[in-house]
Amino acid sequence: MGALVSYDDAPVTVRPDIASTHQAAWDRLSRPGTWWAGSDRIAIAAETRAAATCALCRDRKRAVSPYAVDGEHDRVSDLPEPVVDATHRIASDPGRLTERWYRELVDDSIDDTAFVELVGVVITVVGIDTFGRALGVSAQDLPRPEEGEPTRVRPAGARVDGHWVPSLPAADPTVPNVRRALSLVPAEAQAFEEMGAVMYLPLDELMEFGRDRAISRPQMELLAARVSALNQCFY
Amino acid sequence: MSSDVRGEPAELGPVMGDGGGTGVPHGAELLAFAEAVVGKGGGDGDLAAARAALLERVGAEGLVDAAAIVAGFDATDRIADATGTQLDDYLERGTVELRAELGIDQLAALGE
């Protein structure tokens, strides 16, 4: 069953396109994905939130190297440990993820396709939770998972080009690499596009530097740049 | 880039936290809001104050847009970092001076 995404408690009126897109994204969480069952997707979502209060994540965040700190996560699901670890690392300390870490993960524990979908779930939760926190809204209830099997369809033509993970080429060479990053799982890439369109700008408006919202494009970019600097995100 | 295109030059050092002015209208409140939402210090009280200050400056719709941008990039950063997304060639060529000015290249070295 879906959970209602509500911004009734927000101090201001939330744009309808944001609210509706967030509701659609929340509903997707509960449904079987391409590689994960609905129950697994909800478990990943729950672990994404759990990372915020996980002692191991806290200790790793403070360490010079997060890879030098061993221990067990304060988990909230029965997901395999590598899946929990990946989820917590992406949620809590993404700026220090390494290619070596990724290669070892997909070599030993998780297929690249499942990993990309996991990333898609994590960022859905992060995006909606951060938006709510920014406005002072309580965290949305996670939906109950739906039954059904994942589709397990890997798109043809995916190759390593611009990322550690395989991705699909874009017909338009000006499409930024980050907008192709989840394309190994097209449903996640599509969901990211939908979220990006309402929370930032549609893809076809990115190069329109005169494109404002209620705040100007320079104000938008200032916010974006500061967030990325705080997250230590090079891209 | 957007500021240059519009003829409204902006200072970018504050993006990396150098404490200076941005030249962007309500830049200080925007930065404080981003830091309160995503930053590592402060608590709910700091966020509430930053939210109120920004609301006063940019209005209700502006606050929603700001929250959406902060949240959207908090998510997008994780996509880029978790998938090892590389800087596009055309972006890399176009941002040589900018990255040097802000010391951003040192962030890339962290992931090697």
Side-chain angles (χ1 to χ4, degrees), chain A residues 15 134 177 219 226 228 235, chain B residues 6 15 25 51 65 77 88:
Chain A
R15 276 186 6 232
N177 283 342
Q219 290 174 317
R226 187 64 183 135
S228 296
Y235 186 88
Chain B
R6 297 160 66 110
V15 167
R51 185 186 308 124
D65 287 347
D77 289 344
D88 308 74

Side-chain angles (χ1 to χ4, degrees), chain A residues 102-113:
Chain A
Y102 166 74
R103 295 283 170 219
E104 290 178 354
L105 182 67
V106 297
D107 285 347
D108 298 338
S109 307
I110 308 175
D111 290 341
D112 52 8
T113 46

Side-chain angles (χ1 to χ4, degrees), chain A residues 117-137:
Chain A
E117 183 168 329
L118 180 153
V119 174
V121 172
V122 171
I123 67 99
T124 297
V125 175
V126 168
I128 293 175
D129 279 359
T130 302
F131 180 76
R133 183 169 70 252
L135 293 181
V137 174

Side-chain angles (χ1 to χ4, degrees), chain A residues 72-93:
Chain A
E72 294 191 3
H73 290 284
D74 296 330
R75 59 164 54 229
V76 295
S77 73
D78 294 328
L79 289 169
E81 180 57 30
V83 177
V84 174
D85 186 65
T87 301
H88 280 229
R89 286 186 189 269
I90 296 168
S92 67
D93 200 4

Side-chain angles (χ1 to χ4, degrees), chain A:
Chain A
M1 292 289 289
L4 181 65
V5 172
S6 173
Y7 293 118
D8 290 347
D9 292 342
V12 293
T13 301
V14 172
R15 276 186 6 232
D17 59 343
I18 292 178
S20 62
T21 300
H22 286 185
Q23 182 68 65
W26 219 236
D27 292 342
R28 276 192 67 250
L29 280 181
S30 67
R31 295 195 289 266
T34 308
W35 302 97
W36 297 97
S39 56
D40 292 329
R41 289 168 60 86
I42 295 301
I44 292 168
E47 292 292 353
T48 299
R49 286 179 164 176
T53 55
C54 173
L56 177 59
C57 289
R58 179 200 62 218
D59 292 344
R60 284 177 171 172
K61 186 80 172 170
R62 293 172 177 170
V64 172
S65 170
Y67 302 97
V69 180
D70 291 326
E72 294 191 3
H73 290 284
D74 296 330
R75 59 164 54 229
V76 295
S77 73
D78 294 328
L79 289 169
E81 180 57 30
V83 177
V84 174
D85 186 65
T87 301
H88 280 229
R89 286 186 189 269
I90 296 168
S92 67
D93 200 4
R96 297 198 293 173
L97 298 172
T98 65
E99 184 171 8
R100 176 179 174 177
W101 166 79
Y102 166 74
R103 295 283 170 219
E104 290 178 354
L105 182 67
V106 297
D107 285 347
D108 298 338
S109 307
I110 308 175
D111 290 341
D112 52 8
T113 46
F115 175 78
V116 169
E117 183 168 329
L118 180 153
V119 174
V121 172
V122 171
I123 67 99
T124 297
V125 175
V126 168
I128 293 175
D129 279 359
T130 302
F131 180 76
R133 183 169 70 252
L135 293 181
V137 174
S138 300
Q140 310 290 339
D141 290 335
L142 288 174
R144 290 174 60 186
E146 296 181 20
E147 296 293 325
E149 290 297 314
T151 56
R152 296 195 178 89
V153 176
R154 184 187 181 103
R159 57 192 172 96
V160 175
D161 176 24
H163 320 82
W164 302 331
V165 303
S167 60
L168 296 177
D172 180 355
T174 65
V175 170
N177 283 342
V178 72
R179 298 296 265 258
R180 296 190 299 112
L182 301 182
S183 58
L184 185 61
V185 183
E188 298 302 327
Q190 177 63 32
F192 174 48
E193 273 307 312
E194 292 168 1
M195 290 278 277
V198 299
M199 297 179 76
Y200 179 43
L201 289 170
L203 198 57
D204 59 359
E205 296 180 15
L206 288 184
M207 302 307 286
E208 295 180 21
F209 294 111
R211 171 70 164 95
D212 296 336
R213 285 192 180 273
I215 54 176
S216 70
R217 186 66 184 273
Q219 290 174 317
M220 295 164 65
E221 299 301 335
L222 181 67
L223 283 166
R226 187 64 183 135
V227 169
S228 296
L230 288 166
N231 284 329
Q232 296 189 305
C233 178
F234 169 74
Y235 186 88

